mmCIF file of all heavy atoms in Angstrom:
data_model
loop_
_atom_site.group_PDB
_atom_site.id
_atom_site.type_symbol
_atom_site.label_atom_id
_atom_site.label_comp_id
_atom_site.label_asym_id
_atom_site.label_seq_id
_atom_site.Cartn_x
_atom_site.Cartn_y
_atom_site.Cartn_z
ATOM 1 N N THR A 1 0.796 -1.222 0.000
ATOM 2 C CA THR A 1 0.000 0.000 0.000
ATOM 3 C C THR A 1 0.832 1.277 0.000
ATOM 4 O O THR A 1 0.269 2.374 -0.096
ATOM 5 C CB THR A 1 -0.957 0.026 1.205
ATOM 6 O OG1 THR A 1 -0.229 -0.249 2.395
ATOM 7 C CG2 THR A 1 -2.048 -0.994 1.049
ATOM 8 N N ILE A 2 2.142 1.193 0.118
ATOM 9 C CA ILE A 2 2.957 2.409 0.052
ATOM 10 C C ILE A 2 3.837 2.465 -1.196
ATOM 11 O O ILE A 2 4.481 3.474 -1.456
ATOM 12 C CB ILE A 2 3.835 2.577 1.307
ATOM 13 C CG1 ILE A 2 4.889 1.471 1.407
ATOM 14 C CG2 ILE A 2 2.985 2.637 2.563
ATOM 15 C CD1 ILE A 2 5.947 1.740 2.468
ATOM 16 N N ILE A 3 3.859 1.365 -1.967
ATOM 17 C CA ILE A 3 4.687 1.348 -3.173
ATOM 18 C C ILE A 3 4.046 2.197 -4.269
ATOM 19 O O ILE A 3 2.862 2.054 -4.571
ATOM 20 C CB ILE A 3 4.895 -0.098 -3.677
ATOM 21 C CG1 ILE A 3 5.801 -0.874 -2.731
ATOM 22 C CG2 ILE A 3 5.492 -0.108 -5.075
ATOM 23 C CD1 ILE A 3 5.954 -2.331 -3.099
ATOM 24 N N GLN A 4 4.828 3.084 -4.854
ATOM 25 C CA GLN A 4 4.366 3.874 -5.989
ATOM 26 C C GLN A 4 4.857 3.295 -7.311
ATOM 27 O O GLN A 4 4.193 3.411 -8.334
ATOM 28 C CB GLN A 4 4.832 5.326 -5.826
ATOM 29 C CG GLN A 4 4.224 5.991 -4.592
ATOM 30 C CD GLN A 4 4.793 7.360 -4.318
ATOM 31 O OE1 GLN A 4 6.004 7.597 -4.443
ATOM 32 N NE2 GLN A 4 3.934 8.296 -3.926
ATOM 33 N N LYS A 5 6.020 2.668 -7.264
ATOM 34 C CA LYS A 5 6.545 1.950 -8.428
ATOM 35 C C LYS A 5 7.679 1.062 -7.949
ATOM 36 O O LYS A 5 8.223 1.247 -6.861
ATOM 37 C CB LYS A 5 7.035 2.917 -9.512
ATOM 38 C CG LYS A 5 8.176 3.829 -9.080
ATOM 39 C CD LYS A 5 8.590 4.754 -10.222
ATOM 40 C CE LYS A 5 9.728 5.684 -9.770
ATOM 41 N NZ LYS A 5 10.169 6.571 -10.864
ATOM 42 N N LEU A 6 8.031 0.079 -8.761
ATOM 43 C CA LEU A 6 9.163 -0.792 -8.467
ATOM 44 C C LEU A 6 10.416 -0.252 -9.149
ATOM 45 O O LEU A 6 10.307 0.472 -10.143
ATOM 46 C CB LEU A 6 8.871 -2.214 -8.942
ATOM 47 C CG LEU A 6 7.816 -2.981 -8.132
ATOM 48 C CD1 LEU A 6 7.493 -4.306 -8.810
ATOM 49 C CD2 LEU A 6 8.289 -3.223 -6.705
ATOM 50 N N PRO A 7 11.606 -0.571 -8.641
ATOM 51 C CA PRO A 7 11.890 -1.478 -7.532
ATOM 52 C C PRO A 7 11.534 -0.877 -6.176
ATOM 53 O O PRO A 7 11.335 0.334 -6.057
ATOM 54 C CB PRO A 7 13.390 -1.728 -7.650
ATOM 55 C CG PRO A 7 13.920 -0.491 -8.287
ATOM 56 C CD PRO A 7 12.849 -0.062 -9.262
ATOM 57 N N TYR A 8 11.466 -1.738 -5.159
ATOM 58 C CA TYR A 8 11.067 -1.306 -3.833
ATOM 59 C C TYR A 8 12.239 -0.622 -3.140
ATOM 60 O O TYR A 8 13.065 -1.245 -2.480
ATOM 61 C CB TYR A 8 10.590 -2.524 -3.019
ATOM 62 C CG TYR A 8 10.234 -2.183 -1.589
ATOM 63 C CD1 TYR A 8 9.116 -1.405 -1.297
ATOM 64 C CD2 TYR A 8 11.008 -2.645 -0.533
ATOM 65 C CE1 TYR A 8 8.786 -1.090 0.008
ATOM 66 C CE2 TYR A 8 10.687 -2.340 0.778
ATOM 67 C CZ TYR A 8 9.572 -1.558 1.037
ATOM 68 O OH TYR A 8 9.255 -1.253 2.340
ATOM 69 N N ASP A 9 12.329 0.684 -3.336
ATOM 70 C CA ASP A 9 13.291 1.539 -2.654
ATOM 71 C C ASP A 9 12.529 2.707 -2.039
ATOM 72 O O ASP A 9 11.419 3.047 -2.482
ATOM 73 C CB ASP A 9 14.355 2.065 -3.625
ATOM 74 C CG ASP A 9 15.363 0.984 -4.006
ATOM 75 O OD1 ASP A 9 15.745 0.188 -3.131
ATOM 76 O OD2 ASP A 9 15.756 0.930 -5.186
ATOM 77 N N ARG A 10 13.109 3.317 -1.047
ATOM 78 C CA ARG A 10 12.396 4.366 -0.303
ATOM 79 C C ARG A 10 11.859 5.460 -1.219
ATOM 80 O O ARG A 10 10.730 5.929 -1.044
ATOM 81 C CB ARG A 10 13.323 4.970 0.762
ATOM 82 C CG ARG A 10 12.587 5.839 1.794
ATOM 83 C CD ARG A 10 13.573 6.339 2.825
ATOM 84 N NE ARG A 10 12.959 7.125 3.881
ATOM 85 C CZ ARG A 10 12.538 6.640 5.046
ATOM 86 N NH1 ARG A 10 12.649 5.354 5.298
ATOM 87 N NH2 ARG A 10 12.023 7.429 5.972
ATOM 88 N N GLU A 11 12.665 5.868 -2.207
ATOM 89 C CA GLU A 11 12.225 6.952 -3.080
ATOM 90 C C GLU A 11 11.062 6.553 -3.984
ATOM 91 O O GLU A 11 10.443 7.408 -4.623
ATOM 92 C CB GLU A 11 13.389 7.458 -3.939
ATOM 93 C CG GLU A 11 13.976 6.427 -4.883
ATOM 94 C CD GLU A 11 15.143 5.673 -4.277
ATOM 95 O OE1 GLU A 11 15.247 5.618 -3.024
ATOM 96 O OE2 GLU A 11 15.962 5.152 -5.048
ATOM 97 N N ASN A 12 10.763 5.260 -4.033
ATOM 98 C CA ASN A 12 9.626 4.779 -4.829
ATOM 99 C C ASN A 12 8.408 4.463 -3.968
ATOM 100 O O ASN A 12 7.467 3.820 -4.423
ATOM 101 C CB ASN A 12 10.025 3.525 -5.617
ATOM 102 C CG ASN A 12 11.080 3.817 -6.658
ATOM 103 O OD1 ASN A 12 11.165 4.937 -7.171
ATOM 104 N ND2 ASN A 12 11.882 2.826 -6.986
ATOM 105 N N THR A 13 8.438 4.912 -2.711
ATOM 106 C CA THR A 13 7.317 4.713 -1.796
ATOM 107 C C THR A 13 6.902 6.063 -1.210
ATOM 108 O O THR A 13 7.591 7.078 -1.381
ATOM 109 C CB THR A 13 7.699 3.769 -0.640
ATOM 110 O OG1 THR A 13 8.554 4.469 0.278
ATOM 111 C CG2 THR A 13 8.402 2.524 -1.152
ATOM 112 N N VAL A 14 5.793 6.063 -0.484
ATOM 113 C CA VAL A 14 5.352 7.307 0.143
ATOM 114 C C VAL A 14 6.306 7.752 1.248
ATOM 115 O O VAL A 14 6.236 8.897 1.702
ATOM 116 C CB VAL A 14 3.934 7.151 0.721
ATOM 117 C CG1 VAL A 14 2.936 6.863 -0.384
ATOM 118 C CG2 VAL A 14 3.874 6.067 1.789
ATOM 119 N N MET A 15 7.232 6.868 1.665
ATOM 120 C CA MET A 15 8.193 7.243 2.692
ATOM 121 C C MET A 15 9.227 8.244 2.181
ATOM 122 O O MET A 15 10.020 8.773 2.976
ATOM 123 C CB MET A 15 8.901 5.998 3.234
ATOM 124 C CG MET A 15 8.016 5.095 4.079
ATOM 125 S SD MET A 15 7.348 5.909 5.555
ATOM 126 C CE MET A 15 8.836 6.189 6.501
ATOM 127 N N GLU A 16 9.230 8.504 0.890
ATOM 128 C CA GLU A 16 10.172 9.484 0.345
ATOM 129 C C GLU A 16 9.958 10.872 0.957
ATOM 130 O O GLU A 16 10.851 11.727 0.930
ATOM 131 C CB GLU A 16 10.042 9.557 -1.176
ATOM 132 C CG GLU A 16 8.726 10.146 -1.664
ATOM 133 C CD GLU A 16 8.698 10.340 -3.167
ATOM 134 O OE1 GLU A 16 9.782 10.453 -3.768
ATOM 135 O OE2 GLU A 16 7.588 10.399 -3.729
ATOM 136 N N ASP A 17 8.765 11.126 1.492
ATOM 137 C CA ASP A 17 8.470 12.425 2.089
ATOM 138 C C ASP A 17 9.080 12.600 3.473
ATOM 139 O O ASP A 17 9.023 13.694 4.036
ATOM 140 C CB ASP A 17 6.948 12.627 2.187
ATOM 141 C CG ASP A 17 6.274 12.696 0.827
ATOM 142 O OD1 ASP A 17 6.948 13.109 -0.136
ATOM 143 O OD2 ASP A 17 5.091 12.334 0.728
ATOM 144 N N PHE A 18 9.639 11.524 4.027
ATOM 145 C CA PHE A 18 10.162 11.580 5.394
ATOM 146 C C PHE A 18 11.662 11.311 5.389
ATOM 147 O O PHE A 18 12.112 10.177 5.257
ATOM 148 C CB PHE A 18 9.442 10.554 6.279
ATOM 149 C CG PHE A 18 7.961 10.769 6.362
ATOM 150 C CD1 PHE A 18 7.111 10.076 5.513
ATOM 151 C CD2 PHE A 18 7.423 11.669 7.264
ATOM 152 C CE1 PHE A 18 5.737 10.272 5.567
ATOM 153 C CE2 PHE A 18 6.051 11.875 7.330
ATOM 154 C CZ PHE A 18 5.206 11.169 6.481
ATOM 155 N N GLY A 19 12.434 12.381 5.504
ATOM 156 C CA GLY A 19 13.881 12.237 5.560
ATOM 157 C C GLY A 19 14.312 11.594 6.872
ATOM 158 O O GLY A 19 13.727 11.855 7.929
ATOM 159 N N MET A 20 15.334 10.759 6.822
ATOM 160 C CA MET A 20 15.807 10.068 8.027
ATOM 161 C C MET A 20 16.595 11.016 8.924
ATOM 162 O O MET A 20 17.367 11.843 8.441
ATOM 163 C CB MET A 20 16.722 8.902 7.652
ATOM 164 C CG MET A 20 16.088 7.831 6.810
ATOM 165 S SD MET A 20 17.317 6.541 6.432
ATOM 166 C CE MET A 20 16.695 5.983 4.829
ATOM 167 N N CYS A 21 16.405 10.870 10.228
ATOM 168 C CA CYS A 21 17.262 11.568 11.180
ATOM 169 C C CYS A 21 18.635 10.876 11.202
ATOM 170 O O CYS A 21 18.819 9.819 10.592
ATOM 171 C CB CYS A 21 16.638 11.560 12.573
ATOM 172 S SG CYS A 21 16.489 9.913 13.319
ATOM 173 N N GLU A 22 19.591 11.447 11.908
ATOM 174 C CA GLU A 22 20.947 10.891 11.918
ATOM 175 C C GLU A 22 20.975 9.472 12.477
ATOM 176 O O GLU A 22 21.690 8.609 11.965
ATOM 177 C CB GLU A 22 21.871 11.797 12.729
ATOM 178 C CG GLU A 22 22.188 13.129 12.051
ATOM 179 C CD GLU A 22 23.202 13.938 12.830
ATOM 180 O OE1 GLU A 22 23.735 13.414 13.845
ATOM 181 O OE2 GLU A 22 23.484 15.085 12.436
ATOM 182 N N LEU A 23 20.201 9.220 13.530
ATOM 183 C CA LEU A 23 20.212 7.891 14.140
ATOM 184 C C LEU A 23 19.593 6.847 13.215
ATOM 185 O O LEU A 23 20.097 5.729 13.096
ATOM 186 C CB LEU A 23 19.466 7.923 15.480
ATOM 187 C CG LEU A 23 20.153 8.712 16.602
ATOM 188 C CD1 LEU A 23 19.261 8.778 17.839
ATOM 189 C CD2 LEU A 23 21.502 8.093 16.944
ATOM 190 N N CYS A 24 18.492 7.194 12.549
ATOM 191 C CA CYS A 24 17.874 6.261 11.603
ATOM 192 C C CYS A 24 18.783 6.029 10.402
ATOM 193 O O CYS A 24 18.899 4.909 9.905
ATOM 194 C CB CYS A 24 16.503 6.780 11.154
ATOM 195 S SG CYS A 24 15.185 6.552 12.375
ATOM 196 N N GLN A 25 19.439 7.087 9.946
ATOM 197 C CA GLN A 25 20.365 6.947 8.815
ATOM 198 C C GLN A 25 21.504 6.002 9.173
ATOM 199 O O GLN A 25 21.917 5.169 8.360
ATOM 200 C CB GLN A 25 20.926 8.318 8.424
ATOM 201 C CG GLN A 25 21.798 8.318 7.177
ATOM 202 C CD GLN A 25 21.012 8.116 5.897
ATOM 203 O OE1 GLN A 25 19.981 8.734 5.700
ATOM 204 N NE2 GLN A 25 21.503 7.247 5.018
ATOM 205 N N ALA A 26 21.992 6.106 10.411
ATOM 206 C CA ALA A 26 23.083 5.231 10.853
ATOM 207 C C ALA A 26 22.625 3.781 10.899
ATOM 208 O O ALA A 26 23.373 2.872 10.500
ATOM 209 C CB ALA A 26 23.592 5.680 12.216
#
């Protein structure tokens, strides 16, 4: 339900709108 297109990467999902904080990025 969050995939906008394949392949399944963050920029291809609705999560692209949420940048990772430093801890999540690590």
